[in-house]
Amino acid sequence: MLFPTVEYGLFFLVVLAVAWALAGRVGLHKNFLLLASYCFYGFWNWHYLPLLIGISLVSALIARRVQAAGTTAARKRWLALGVVLCLATLAYYKYTEFALLAVLNLWSYFGNPPDIDVQSPLLPLGISFFVFHAISLLADAYRNKLRARIDLRDALLYIAFFPQLIAGPILRASNFLPQLARPRNPRTIRANTACLLIVAGLFKKIIIANTLATRLVEPVFADPASYAGGDTLLAIYGYAAQIYCDFSGYTDIAIGCAMLLGYRFPRNFNAPYTATDPQDFWHRWHISLSTWLRDYLYIPLGGSRGGTIRTLVNIMVTMVLGGLWHGANWTFVVWGALHGVLLAGHRLWSALRWQRLAAVRQTVAWRWLSRLWLFHAVCLGWVFFRAPSFDIAFAMLANLAHAGPLTLASVPVLLVLIAGLGGQYLPRRWGFSLEFALARAPIVLRGAALACAMFVIQLLGPTGVAPFIYFQF
Amino acid sequence: MKRPARITGFLASTRDLALGAAGFVAAIVLIDSGGLSQWAERLDLGPLRTIAVPVTETVDRGLRPLGIDRVRLTALAELGRVSWSDNPAALVAAAPPPAPAKPPPAKPVKLAANVKAAPAPIPPAPKSAAPLLLSPVVAAVPSSTALPPLLPVPPGRPRVVALVGDSMMAVGLSDVLLRQTADNAGLQVIKAFRSGTGLARPDVFDWNAEYPAMIGNARPDLVIVAIGANDAQGYIDAKGKVVSFGSDPWIANYRTRITAFMDMLEGSARQVIWVGLPPMRAALYDAHVATINRIAYTVVSTYPNAAWWNPAPYIGNKDGGFRNLGQVAGYHGRPKIAQLREPDGIHLTDDGALLLTDVLIPWLSPAAAHPLPVTH
């Protein structure tokens, strides 16, 4: 059930009505949301519901053992057991075939590999996200960030809560479980913000991301040799805008839906292409993943506590594994490694303390040059992220040097490209102004305005519903 | 003075939320009842469709006299005309298809899928001049099929090849074919495929109406078709009765749809190659696909300038069954072991498609034969 569909609209309206009708009865309210979340997941493939429930139950039970253990060593043992179980499940579903292919291809260098055919299991939708939620539950229990004893139902709902179930944002148990403990209060809901987020998300997804995908990105990445350098560059920029609008659009809708149900999700994007350095970029791009990797991988590896070399190694390991988390393909490994190199290079560069350099770094021109440079470095990474193989990635890069006609730069494509990239520079106060302006209208009219906005978006977007890019991860 | 809750956009009570939701629902029903009705018609058979179709149709019928839907239709047509949207409303203004060699199917070309026109049940299949019910559907397709000789093209002009189909063409196969023919001056390739479509549900996507707009004024020398992966589904007939996949009426109807499709393709192209569906991973789905292949083979074989080509010997295992991993040509011709099928067990990966294009490209253009041998 994809967000921009009538099916989801109907589902959400029913859930919204019943959830608020049950708001005064906390237990029933949570039972209902849990049931709705499992229905939401089962709508895709109910065969995988036992997996979702199983991972949730096992991690919750182990997290409770972590909380109850008397010694640090015992807590650590339970934590290790839980994390290993979670990662083993993820590895089984996501990386079995990848590992086997790597071994077979290595084997083929030394002789004829065995003629075997292995079928890895169908990848359960959202497994990377709900496994990370489960690990967060375990880790937060280990770090004593959960004051109360973990309630099983709350833990199940935390992992399966439908707005974030398929593609995040990745919630922290320590942030979300306390929300479940409180009764819902309509006075805490910023309805205008929620509606604007949903409309913005739909606009980004349907109009910008889908238009760029169908009219620019997909044709060029499918057949780079048919396009010259101008079209190729445009397609790379287009993918940068597409993936941002696709993923941040999904997140906006998820945050808006959760907000209408009375729950707060963390911000996941903050105008990432306005970043001036790689570290700044990861503070703005997929924030819930980058902070998850920082807290549950980089810091446990030692973070920056072990000297320069060790820090750089930790950065590289974190980013390469972060790349691999996105998909079982070497192109994702290269994408992660590229960002690792950028972050490591930035760390060394920013450690330089030349006074003259420090003065230059403060100038506006330097900031814009940094932005431009970083954007293109990120775009280089997107080529590997988007390309299905290294052949295509290198063909795309080689194509940049080929002169030729610009065939895909139609007015609609350029408009949505500018909107997708330039929209990040719009002042945030415009959004606040709109929110407050809406507040003056009667609530019924605000609902009608939301309907009209969605209608216009659906009218302007390409036909069909393309799945969100991050669903595959 | 207004309450702070109003000024900042916070809700005052659940009543506010209910009022907002009511405003939303009322507005969406009022302005898009036609769209909702079409959404219901496109749903797969099941309880949701059973409820949604009569409800949305009743609402739409009740609201149609208000004329609000005209705004939507006009907007769609306008947007299609200026090429802002790829909505098939553009079809209304599309050039008519070239005159077919056989009598055209007696099927009215309806408006775009999003333009309200079609009734809820799927219309009866078109009547065709092809010898429909004369030959029974074959019990099994041949395990090995040869590609026929290509019809010659006049010297000095490239062979025009149209790639047609659903995601079986769009994912993998078309990408690799396009890449491998990009520098071939002897071939001009036209993209006319669309994922999520098929021949079983013209109410969702009507190939006979859409295809002429997809190829424009081109007249292909050869059409390569790969379609049918979405067709293993039942439908509701004109009497409102569910026709299950694989039943006799379903097979008869599907035959007529393939026949009408072939009539149209043959009317606009000189030669047609129908790439059969490859073996699938899930056993039940594989059995369904085998049924679709048998019907397609039976129909396509009746056309003199068309051939059904079985991809199983190249993409399947030794027995013609599903195979996930296989050896393909890697860097510098060195063999590599690769995944041949997408994780869904249905679509071809680029590496999987290579196994087919290694046969298709040398056949299409002997001078540009793929230099790397395929090993299994």
Side-chain angles (χ1 to χ4, degrees):
Chain A
M1 200 186 310
L2 297 168
F3 280 170
T5 58
V6 180
E7 288 91 328
Y8 179 77
L10 290 173
F11 167 83
F12 186 70
L13 280 173
V14 171
V15 170
L16 189 68
V18 179
W20 279 106
L22 298 173
R25 303 161 80 175
V26 177
L28 273 179
H29 170 84
K30 287 194 275 198
N31 286 345
F32 171 73
L33 281 186
L34 189 58
L35 185 68
S37 297
Y38 288 146
C39 286
F40 175 81
Y41 195 71
F43 198 86
W44 165 68
N45 188 340
W46 62 267
H47 289 101
Y48 284 95
L49 262 180
L51 175 72
L52 172 63
I53 297 170
I55 282 198
S56 309
L57 261 181
V58 168
S59 58
L61 289 172
I62 294 178
R64 276 163 70 143
R65 297 306 296 252
V66 170
Q67 283 185 313
T71 64
T72 306
R75 291 162 65 81
K76 204 173 265 185
R77 273 198 300 275
W78 281 112
L79 173 70
L81 174 68
V83 170
V84 165
L85 282 176
C86 286
L87 291 180
T89 309
L90 184 63
Y92 169 70
Y93 281 103
K94 200 164 174 176
Y95 302 108
T96 309
E97 205 165 83
F98 176 70
L100 183 73
L101 278 174
V103 169
L104 288 174
N105 279 312
L106 196 64
W107 194 329
S108 71
Y109 272 91
F110 303 105
N112 282 332
D115 185 16
I116 56 171
D117 188 22
V118 175
Q119 297 163 24
S120 65
L122 188 64
L123 188 68
L125 198 61
I127 188 171
S128 304
F129 288 91
F130 63 72
V131 163
F132 269 31
H133 278 99
I135 292 175
S136 172
L137 180 70
L138 291 159
D140 284 357
Y142 176 76
R143 292 175 179 176
N144 285 325
K145 288 191 170 179
L146 306 173
R147 289 178 192 163
R149 183 164 185 265
I150 293 170
D151 178 81
L152 268 187
R153 181 180 51 200
D154 285 5
L156 295 184
L157 183 53
Y158 155 66
I159 293 173
F161 190 39
F162 71 88
Q164 53 78 25
L165 177 59
I166 306 299
I170 302 168
L171 309 178
R172 299 299 179 85
S174 50
N175 287 338
F176 194 71
L177 290 180
Q179 292 190 49
L180 289 174
R182 291 193 295 269
R184 300 299 96 212
N185 178 4
R187 288 174 177 276
T188 61
I189 298 178
R190 290 176 68 171
N192 293 349
T193 310
C195 292
L196 285 176
L197 277 170
I198 291 171
V199 168
L202 290 171
F203 181 84
K204 284 182 192 171
K205 168 62 185 166
I206 296 176
I207 295 190
I208 300 180
N210 286 3
T211 303
L212 286 173
T214 54
R215 292 180 167 230
L216 178 62
V217 178
E218 281 171 10
V220 179
F221 273 88
D223 178 23
S226 293
Y227 298 92
D231 279 335
T232 307
L233 186 65
L234 209 59
I236 295 172
Y237 289 161
Y239 187 65
Q242 184 205 338
I243 193 169
Y244 165 70
C245 290
D246 191 286
F247 193 20
S248 72
Y250 172 88
T251 310
D252 286 347
I253 299 169
I255 295 173
C257 290
M259 202 179 268
L260 286 175
L261 288 167
Y263 296 92
R264 287 185 72 85
F265 281 4
R267 196 169 191 196
N268 215 16
F269 291 89
N270 181 17
Y273 296 138
T274 64
T276 52
D277 63 62
Q279 197 175 7
D280 187 23
F281 176 79
W282 281 102
H283 286 159
R284 295 165 175 273
W285 177 271
H286 203 173
I287 300 166
S288 64
L289 174 70
S290 59
T291 52
W292 194 100
L293 290 172
R294 182 195 65 200
D295 293 348
Y296 300 128
L297 184 59
Y298 175 69
I299 290 175
L301 282 172
S304 56
R305 297 190 301 273
T308 305
I309 299 293
R310 183 62 200 264
T311 302
L312 299 185
V313 169
N314 290 342
I315 288 173
M316 286 305 294
V317 170
T318 304
M319 296 312 293
V320 166
L321 289 178
L324 199 57
W325 173 85
H326 283 84
N329 195 328
W330 290 107
T331 50
F332 289 117
V333 174
V334 167
W335 174 78
L338 184 81
H339 275 279
V341 168
L342 289 176
L343 283 167
H346 170 68
R347 197 164 188 94
L348 295 174
W349 168 252
S350 56
L352 295 176
R353 297 283 175 230
W354 301 336
Q355 204 162 4
R356 190 173 293 177
L357 189 64
V360 172
R361 280 173 177 161
Q362 298 302 317
T363 60
V364 173
W366 178 264
R367 271 208 302 279
W368 277 99
L369 278 176
S370 302
R371 248 178 218 139
L372 207 61
W373 176 86
L374 179 71
F375 174 71
H376 285 87
V378 169
C379 283
L380 175 65
W382 289 140
V383 172
F384 289 93
F385 193 92
R386 171 62 178 79
S389 66
F390 287 116
D391 287 346
I392 303 291
F394 289 123
M396 288 287 295
L397 296 176
N399 247 13
L400 290 172
H402 294 168
L406 203 60
T407 59
L408 297 174
S410 62
V411 171
V413 163
L414 292 176
L415 280 178
V416 293
L417 182 59
I418 290 166
L421 297 176
Q424 297 175 47
Y425 288 89
L426 293 180
R428 287 183 65 190
R429 64 172 185 279
W430 289 12
F432 294 133
S433 306
L434 191 57
E435 188 186 338
F436 292 142
L438 271 177
R440 296 197 185 94
I443 188 80
V444 179
L445 282 187
R446 278 183 264 167
L450 175 66
C452 292
M454 285 167 65
F455 173 72
V456 171
I457 288 169
Q458 172 247 323
L459 206 63
L460 291 174
T463 52
V465 180
F468 288 92
I469 291 175
Y470 263 67
F471 276 22
Q472 64 188 292
F473 307 137
Chain B
M1 186 179 164
K2 286 180 181 173
R3 285 182 297 169
R6 293 276 184 207
I7 294 168
T8 55
F10 282 96
L11 289 179
S13 65
T14 44
R15 185 176 158 274
D16 267 7
L17 195 66
L19 284 173
F24 172 82
V25 172
I28 209 80
V29 167
L30 204 60
I31 57 180
D32 204 19
S33 60
L36 286 172
S37 175
Q38 282 167 10
W39 159 79
E41 285 167 20
R42 288 195 295 268
L43 286 172
D44 290 339
L45 296 183
L48 181 60
R49 190 181 194 278
T50 309
I51 298 168
V53 167
V55 170
T56 53
E57 275 200 341
T58 308
V59 171
D60 187 34
R61 246 196 324 269
L63 291 174
R64 208 174 294 163
L66 297 178
I68 296 173
D69 205 37
R70 273 203 298 275
V71 177
R72 191 176 70 91
L73 294 179
T74 308
L76 274 177
E78 288 298 313
L79 290 169
R81 190 172 55 75
V82 299
S83 298
W84 169 268
S85 166
D86 68 350
N87 193 289
L91 291 173
V92 177
K102 295 185 174 188
K107 181 175 191 310
V109 175
K110 70 170 187 157
L111 293 182
N114 278 8
V115 180
K116 181 66 185 170
I122 296 175
K127 300 268 190 303
S128 170
L132 264 183
L133 300 172
L134 298 178
S135 57
V137 172
V138 296
V141 296
S143 57
S144 175
T145 48
L147 290 165
L150 285 170
L151 297 178
V153 292
R157 93 163 163 80
R159 182 182 301 280
V160 181
V161 180
L163 305 181
V164 175
D166 56 17
S167 56
M168 296 312 294
M169 174 58 80
V171 178
L173 187 55
S174 64
D175 294 348
V176 177
L177 275 171
L178 284 164
R179 258 177 251 148
Q180 293 192 339
T181 56
D183 296 330
N184 190 333
L187 293 173
Q188 181 195 338
V189 183
I190 301 169
K191 294 181 268 186
F193 42 81
R194 182 136 180 178
S195 294
T197 64
L199 299 173
R201 294 281 304 271
D203 55 327
V204 175
F205 190 86
D206 187 346
W207 268 96
N208 281 55
E210 308 270 351
Y211 177 73
M214 283 176 160
I215 60 164
N217 295 323
R219 192 174 172 80
D221 298 298
L222 172 70
V223 171
I224 302 177
V225 186
I227 197 167
N230 301 310
D231 287 344
Q233 55 174 307
Y235 64 90
I236 295 176
D237 67 12
K239 295 174 186 166
K241 190 179 160 196
V242 175
V243 180
S244 309
F245 170 77
S247 63
D248 287 346
W250 190 94
I251 290 174
N253 198 46
Y254 192 59
R255 282 180 68 151
T256 59
R257 294 204 189 290
I258 296 181
T259 305
F261 186 54
M262 282 298 300
D263 286 347
M264 182 189 62
L265 292 181
E266 281 233 323
S268 66
R270 299 171 62 217
Q271 199 170 10
V272 177
I273 293 299
W274 190 295
V275 180
L277 293 170
M280 301 293 177
R281 178 171 155 174
L284 180 63
Y285 183 54
D286 191 46
H288 288 173
V289 158
T291 303
I292 290 167
N293 274 346
R294 288 189 297 113
I295 301 168
Y297 174 80
T298 305
V299 175
V300 173
S301 302
T302 64
Y303 288 80
N305 288 328
W308 186 93
W309 185 60
N310 192 350
Y314 310 99
I315 193 79
N317 61 23
K318 285 171 191 161
D319 305 322
F322 180 83
R323 181 170 55 133
N324 190 38
L325 305 182
Q327 215 170 79
V328 296
Y331 294 107
H332 307 298
R334 195 181 175 86
K336 74 167 182 179
I337 297 158
Q339 203 174 345
L340 306 180
R341 306 296 285 271
E342 292 287 348
D344 57 18
I346 298 171
H347 299 101
L348 306 181
T349 60
D350 284 8
D351 285 322
L354 266 176
L355 296 181
L356 302 190
T357 58
D358 279 333
V359 181
L360 289 170
I361 295 291
W363 170 71
L364 273 175
S365 176
H370 199 262
L372 305 174
V374 181
T375 51
H376 290 281

